[in-house]
Amino acid sequence: MLSKPSKVLTRSHLWLRGSLFTFIAFVSCASNASTSPELTMFDSNGAKAAPGVILKSDATMTVTGLINHVLVTQHYRNENPFAVNARYVFPLPEESAVHAMTMHIGERVIKGEIDKKAQAELRFQQAQQAGKQAALVRQQRANMFVTNVANIGPGEEVQIELQYQEVIDYRSGTFALRFPTTITPRYHPINGVLNETAEDMIDSQSNELSSASIAATGWIAPIYMATKNAGAVQGEFKLTVNIDVGLELVDIQSKYHRINTENLAFGQYQVTLNEQRAVKRDFLLEFKPLQKEQAQAAFFTEQLSNGERYGLLMLLPPDDHFTQTQRLAREIIFVVDTSGSMHGQSMEQAKSALHYALSLLDSNDSFNIVGFDDQIMPMSDKPVPANDFNLRRAERFVYNLQADGGTDIKGALDGVLDAREHLGYVRQVVFLTDGSVSNEDALFKHISAQLGDSRLFTIGIGSAPNSYFMRRAADVGRGTFTYIGSSSDVQPKMQQLFDKLAHPAITQLALSSDLANQALEYWPSPLPDLYFSEPVMVAIKLDNNAGVTLAGQTAQGPLSIKLNTQQGRPAHGIARLWARQKIKSLLLYNEQEQVKAQVESLALEHQLLSPFTAFVAIEQTPSSTVAEQNVQVANQRPQGLAMSLPQTDGQSRLHILLGCMLLAGFAVLRLKK
């Protein structure tokens, strides 16, 4: 037994240790809260090494007809006194067809080559180990890409150029371009299987990369700036949009960024971003032609040197075709994401959208609201009539929704999709989420299996939603995707959506060749339903076809439209878009391994990035030193995200600090007894 003086000394010693531990935790948290915005590197012993790699990027868009050609340039500058290997996880539009990559080192230009992914990764690793400067660009998701740059010398800048093209959006008389600049953190389900080992992942605290080989299909997570002022050093971004659609435009606007606009000639416009560090939210540009009633249909063609012909069709039936039809009884199920990644502005936008949607319901409608995070929270056990009592009940339910927990979208889908046919009424599921998940492929297959005759409409909420998930989910669900980027968008976007939902669609759409016994290859396939004021966009392989026929079913009877393929306007890049759409459809409706060879062959033939191909560029002359330090360039946190990551890992520094203080206090109380 200790003597009384010994007990006093022991208690004092424990109290001092507890106080010191609490003080260190507090200082650590305060230090992390005020971290410099620069990217920080650590050596193998955990010591701070150097500022890291600074990334600046710019994009130039050229819009001709319905196609947007984009050049993205990433500038990597090594601020260290030694060579480094850099990695950057970045977004591009989910429908982009990436078809070229070039690496610039000073005056030297190395053109990237498309190759099978495993072979490209092996070539890159060998070049990196040999001290050669090299770059590797891979597709992790259709809207998420990874660039690796090896052996960037001290004070040296390496430029990586990427070229992609996409079909521009057109609905309700308005063209729209969206360019994502950052990534919303993804939630990984507990039962998700990642093909990358823990050693292959990046330590989010040290920004270190493992030297292990890169897994072909492994998940590579982005890392984020530590402070709201991170743009002071990182993230400078420039954007130029050249528009030539052959029409005079009555309005050009960007809702979320400042822009400058010049009218260079009739039908030709140049738009430049008037913000240097606008990388916290997606850039959205909308423009309207002066006479939209004449822009109801468009057809473009491309002929390759080998004789192959391709076409791009946009069909937009007159609005009165829909507004004159009888409104059908509907059952609408609103599903709203209340997970941690929706915290802040995203949750407020979702609530505003729900309140406005409720005001648009008709007395013939029935509805329900289902909130979900890692649990399902329905307003009612079954849909209820849209009367005054139930609408007031719904408004109270929406008001009390709070963002917290994980993102179990599969559980929510299980609760609303029943794989049944619903006779006598139209069943529509409206899904509001930021799509902050990483198990998209499993969810697409689940939607396809459980859809029945329901239709799934997705609404992307927030400044940088996962539009890859939401657009693909709407494709499989035979519905459409709507993006709401701010509270001011809620009313017009929800009104447009309900205009579509309130009227019958043209279903059973299909294209056929005028040539007997010759199948027509077109994508997407199957064609989606056609809704109010929203066009069908389809890429077709024409070959010798002089004409094609579009057939469908409306509430008034069959629809048939004949199209002369010899009268299309010439355009460049349609073949790539056709291949990109074919790859998308193959992966969406089949198991990856079953279509791997077909996708790989298509991607190599048309020089496209895909899950099975990658671009690699290698400088053949080795540099003077081989880089031993690895670093990942950080992304900006999306604007309005009120937390650093989805609240699913329990690693909040604030919680750790409070826990330490409680433990210290408990120890002091025990000692006083």
Side-chain angles (χ1 to χ4, degrees):
M1 181 177 292
L2 294 173
S3 65
K4 187 172 182 180
S6 298
K7 289 181 179 179
V8 172
L9 289 173
T10 301
R11 289 176 180 175
S12 301
H13 178 66
L14 291 173
W15 184 85
L16 286 171
R17 286 181 63 185
S19 300
L20 181 60
F21 181 76
T22 304
F23 177 76
I24 292 172
F26 178 82
V27 171
S28 175
C29 291
S31 174
N32 286 329
S34 61
T35 301
S36 169
E38 67 190 14
L39 178 63
T40 305
M41 275 185 47
F42 295 81
D43 61 22
S44 58
N45 297 321
K48 188 174 179 180
V53 173
I54 302 299
L55 171 69
K56 297 181 181 179
S57 58
D58 54 75
T60 301
M61 298 181 171
T62 304
V63 181
T64 54
L66 294 177
I67 301 178
N68 181 24
H69 299 269
V70 186
L71 174 65
V72 177
T73 305
Q74 299 169 348
H75 306 258
Y76 297 86
R77 190 175 75 252
N78 181 13
E79 297 290 303
N80 301 285
F82 47 81
V84 298
N85 302 314
R87 184 164 84 184
Y88 180 44
V89 182
F90 62 98
L92 288 178
E94 67 279 358
E95 299 297 330
S96 58
V98 182
H99 60 87
M101 183 265 273
T102 306
M103 178 170 67
H104 296 256
I105 308 170
E107 298 297 322
R108 304 188 301 281
V109 178
I110 300 96
K111 184 175 176 57
E113 300 174 352
I114 193 78
D115 203 347
K116 295 179 180 180
K117 178 180 274 189
Q119 295 178 7
E121 290 173 343
L122 179 61
R123 291 170 60 189
F124 174 80
Q125 290 166 10
Q126 291 173 343
Q128 176 178 314
Q129 293 166 4
K132 298 178 180 178
Q133 292 181 311
L136 175 73
V137 179
R138 294 162 292 155
Q139 173 186 308
Q140 179 159 270
R141 294 289 191 273
N143 67 336
M144 188 182 296
F145 298 80
V146 182
T147 295
N148 285 74
V149 185
N151 297 309
I152 308 176
E156 191 171 40
E157 180 174 299
V158 174
Q159 295 182 20
I160 305 299
E161 288 183 354
L162 298 175
Q163 295 183 50
Y164 74 85
Q165 58 189 47
E166 62 179 342
V167 177
I168 60 177
D169 230 8
Y170 180 80
R171 63 177 72 182
S172 301
T174 302
F175 292 98
L177 294 173
R178 188 161 68 90
F179 186 84
T181 62
T182 191
I183 303 170
T184 294
R186 302 291 193 259
Y187 165 72
H188 304 286
I190 293 174
N191 61 348
V193 178
L194 303 181
N195 294 327
E196 192 170 30
T197 64
E199 288 76 19
D200 293 327
M201 300 300 286
I202 297 175
D203 187 295
S204 61
Q205 303 300 318
S206 67
N207 298 338
E208 285 189 81
L209 300 183
S210 167
S211 59
S213 61
I214 303 168
T217 58
W219 175 261
I220 301 175
I223 60 174
Y224 296 90
M225 297 287 181
T227 70
K228 295 181 180 179
N229 299 322
V233 173
Q234 197 86 11
E236 184 175 327
F237 175 63
K238 298 179 181 178
L239 176 65
T240 302
V241 184
N242 299 301
I243 302 173
D244 184 6
V245 292
L247 297 170
E248 184 178 355
L249 302 181
V250 67
D251 184 34
I252 302 176
Q253 62 172 316
S254 171
K255 294 185 177 180
Y256 315 130
H257 298 86
R258 297 189 302 273
I259 58 173
N260 296 325
T261 304
E262 294 183 61
N263 188 183
L264 304 177
F266 178 80
Q268 296 182 7
Y269 302 83
Q270 184 175 83
V271 178
T272 53
L273 180 64
N274 193 19
E275 299 178 36
Q276 283 193 332
R277 299 185 178 92
V279 290
K280 291 186 176 182
R281 64 172 311 129
D282 292 357
F283 174 83
L284 178 65
L285 184 71
E286 296 181 340
F287 48 98
K288 297 181 180 181
L290 182 60
Q291 297 176 319
K292 71 175 183 180
E293 66 274 11
Q294 296 179 2
Q296 298 299 321
F299 187 66
F300 300 84
T301 61
E302 179 185 29
Q303 182 158 346
L304 303 184
S305 57
N306 61 5
E308 291 183 346
R309 294 178 62 237
Y310 295 85
L312 180 64
L313 168 68
M314 179 184 78
L315 174 68
L316 181 63
D319 292 351
D320 58 7
H321 175 83
F322 294 91
T323 56
Q324 292 174 6
T325 58
Q326 183 178 0
R327 177 169 172 159
L328 300 180
R330 296 175 302 160
E331 178 180 285
I332 302 182
I333 311 298
F334 299 100
V335 186
V336 57
D337 184 350
T338 62
S339 65
S341 63
M342 291 283 290
H343 193 76
Q345 292 181 11
S346 295
M347 194 70 242
E348 296 307 312
Q349 291 166 20
K351 287 185 177 183
S352 297
L354 282 172
H355 282 302
Y356 189 70
L358 292 171
S359 72
L360 299 175
L361 292 177
D362 187 86
S363 58
N364 292 324
D365 297 331
S366 60
F367 76 101
N368 198 3
I369 303 175
V370 178
F372 77 94
D373 42 40
D374 44 20
Q375 297 181 355
I376 310 302
M377 299 157 287
M379 181 194 78
S380 172
D381 293 337
K382 60 182 180 180
V384 296
N387 55 37
D388 289 342
F389 174 81
N390 288 324
L391 289 174
R392 287 195 297 271
R393 175 187 174 190
E395 289 174 355
R396 291 193 297 271
F397 179 83
V398 172
Y399 179 80
N400 291 320
L401 291 174
Q402 300 294 328
D404 195 11
T407 313
D408 184 12
I409 288 182
K410 181 180 181 298
L413 292 172
D414 284 337
V416 297
L417 298 180
D418 54 15
R420 294 193 297 111
E421 302 291 318
H422 303 84
L423 301 178
Y425 63 94
V426 177
R427 190 171 191 269
Q428 299 164 337
V429 178
V430 180
F431 209 107
L432 298 92
T433 178
D434 60 1
S436 182
V437 292
S438 62
N439 61 330
E440 296 99 333
D441 288 343
L443 294 174
F444 300 150
K445 292 177 175 60
H446 193 67
I447 293 169
S448 180
Q450 297 296 320
L451 186 65
D453 70 350
S454 299
R455 292 294 181 259
L456 178 65
F457 298 83
T458 58
I459 300 178
I461 298 292
S463 56
N466 180 6
S467 53
Y468 162 63
F469 165 71
M470 285 171 290
R471 192 178 294 275
R472 295 293 194 278
D475 288 342
V476 178
R478 307 296 293 274
T480 59
F481 164 57
T482 301
Y483 170 51
I484 295 179
S486 71
S487 298
S488 62
D489 284 346
V490 169
Q491 184 166 335
K493 292 294 181 69
M494 292 302 291
Q495 182 68 60
Q496 288 178 12
L497 176 61
F498 267 75
D499 284 343
K500 290 188 299 186
L501 299 184
H503 298 92
I506 300 179
T507 59
Q508 303 176 33
L509 281 170
L511 280 168
S512 60
S513 170
D514 289 351
L515 297 177
N517 302 321
Q518 181 169 330
L520 194 65
E521 195 169 6
Y522 59 86
W523 307 98
S525 180
L527 286 176
D529 294 343
L530 181 63
Y531 289 91
F532 174 75
S533 296
E534 192 156 309
V536 164
M537 295 273 197
V538 55
I540 314 165
K541 190 172 184 179
L542 298 170
D543 291 335
N544 296 321
N545 288 281
V548 297
T549 300
L550 177 69
Q553 188 69 33
T554 74
Q556 288 76 34
L559 169 74
S560 180
I561 298 175
K562 292 188 179 295
L563 187 69
N564 186 343
T565 65
Q566 304 298 325
Q567 297 179 349
R569 292 174 54 189
H572 175 66
I574 297 176
R576 293 194 192 101
L577 293 172
W578 173 86
R580 177 70 179 79
Q581 287 296 320
K582 183 173 181 178
I583 289 172
K584 168 187 170 181
S585 294
L586 287 172
L587 293 172
L588 201 53
Y589 297 104
N590 301 277
E591 294 292 336
Q592 274 203 5
E593 289 305 313
Q594 294 176 352
V595 296
K596 179 178 179 180
Q598 194 174 358
V599 170
E600 201 171 64
S601 176
L602 268 171
L604 291 173
E605 178 186 352
H606 293 270
Q607 301 284 292
L608 297 175
L609 272 186
S610 75
F612 311 117
T613 54
F615 278 107
V616 61
I618 299 174
E619 168 63 85
Q620 295 305 315
T621 304
S623 60
S624 57
T625 57
V626 179
E628 296 182 358
Q629 298 286 356
N630 305 297
V631 64
Q632 178 164 328
V633 180
N635 295 81
Q636 291 274 13
R637 291 174 184 163
Q639 181 175 325
L641 186 65
M643 52 189 301
S644 60
L645 288 172
Q647 293 174 349
T648 54
D649 62 356
Q651 295 180 3
S652 167
R653 290 190 178 95
L654 178 60
H655 291 171
I656 293 173
L657 174 60
L658 291 175
C660 293
M661 295 176 68
L662 288 173
L663 287 172
F666 178 73
V668 171
L669 289 175
R670 288 293 302 270
L671 291 172
K672 288 183 177 179
K673 290 183 178 180

